[in-house]
Amino acid sequence: MTTRRTALAGLSAAAAFPTTGAGPALGDAERALAARAASWLETLGEARGDFVQTDSRGRVSRGEVFLRRPGRARFAYAPPSSLLVVADGVNVSVADPRLKTFERYPLAATPLALFLSRRIRLDGDARVTAVRRTSSGFEVTARDTRRAHEGQIALAFTDSPLALAGWTVTDAQGRSTRVQLEGLRAVSGLPSSLFVLDDPRPRSPGRGKM
């Protein structure tokens, strides 16, 4: 069963590149690949596709993803999960209608803010700890050295054509959550309603505003 914690760990990892810190020096070829990755992310406007998420216990969840940069994303999990994760440009909201739960976090406090920002800030060796070639492209591993104990993120890109293929988050305990993107493609005209998620729970006198 997909949990809210697993969902946030897997999906917020799309933010990839930390905002500060020092890392090992990268070679010219590695920096060039990292720069290609950042440039591709910057040029991504609206997109949609599917995702497959595998957590550290091997549990698999599927769903559909919609993106509208800057600031907006929607991750809709397929049954039996009922999770919905939406970034509306200001906040990231996580709703589970089956469990009747709803949580909201400032977008700026999540890694999604970096991925969804208008400009991807990346200077190679200060934020990216490793870049390696894979059979289908390359992988960029990043760590926020201000919070190095929290783990790392590895983004996978296909090389021809250049595209984000997925990402893997590894936490401080060595547990990994992997998200694979399938059929992610540029689109236009996504309805704004996709990126709005209000608290569905009925209001009660004892529940304050979130």
Side-chain angles (χ1 to χ4, degrees):
M1 180 178 66
T2 304
T3 64
R4 297 189 303 278
R5 182 176 181 180
T6 299
L8 288 174
L11 297 178
S12 65
F17 304 116
T19 57
T20 189
L26 301 176
D28 290 343
E30 294 171 319
R31 286 197 297 268
L33 286 175
R36 285 185 66 202
S39 178
W40 185 88
L41 291 172
E42 279 193 345
T43 59
L44 182 65
E46 293 187 350
R48 69 181 299 174
D50 299 311
F51 68 87
V52 179
Q53 178 177 290
T54 306
D55 69 13
S56 60
R57 297 183 180 181
R59 296 175 297 191
V60 176
S61 303
R62 298 176 180 272
E64 191 170 13
V65 56
F66 302 85
L67 302 174
R68 177 189 284 172
R69 298 184 64 257
R72 291 165 174 79
R74 179 185 182 94
F75 297 91
Y77 284 76
S81 175
S82 58
L83 277 179
L84 185 58
V85 181
V86 173
D88 62 10
V90 178
N91 296 303
V92 177
S93 301
V94 184
D96 189 332
R98 185 177 61 84
L99 298 179
K100 298 181 180 180
T101 59
F102 183 89
E103 298 175 8
R104 180 169 285 162
Y105 309 89
L107 175 60
T110 73
L112 277 173
L114 300 173
F115 172 71
L116 295 173
S117 63
R118 190 176 301 277
R119 182 171 180 269
I120 305 296
R121 299 183 60 189
L122 177 65
D123 61 7
D125 58 358
R127 297 174 176 85
V128 176
T129 61
V131 179
R132 70 178 185 91
R133 282 286 186 180
T134 64
S135 60
S136 58
F138 61 96
E139 187 176 79
V140 179
T141 300
R143 181 191 299 269
D144 187 340
T145 57
R146 296 173 303 174
R147 298 183 292 272
H149 62 282
E150 294 183 0
Q152 65 183 24
I153 299 163
L155 277 89
F157 289 85
T158 57
D159 208 6
S160 186
L162 178 63
L164 179 64
W167 55 86
T168 300
V169 179
T170 303
D171 67 17
Q173 287 73 44
R175 297 172 300 197
S176 295
T177 299
R178 182 184 182 191
V179 174
Q180 297 171 275
L181 298 177
E182 299 180 343
L184 186 69
R185 59 198 182 277
V187 297
S188 61
L190 291 176
S192 297
S193 58
L194 286 174
F195 309 106
V196 177
L197 181 57
D198 296 322
D199 189 341
R201 297 174 300 174
R203 296 201 59 80
S204 63
R207 184 165 66 85
K209 295 181 179 180
M210 298 186 70

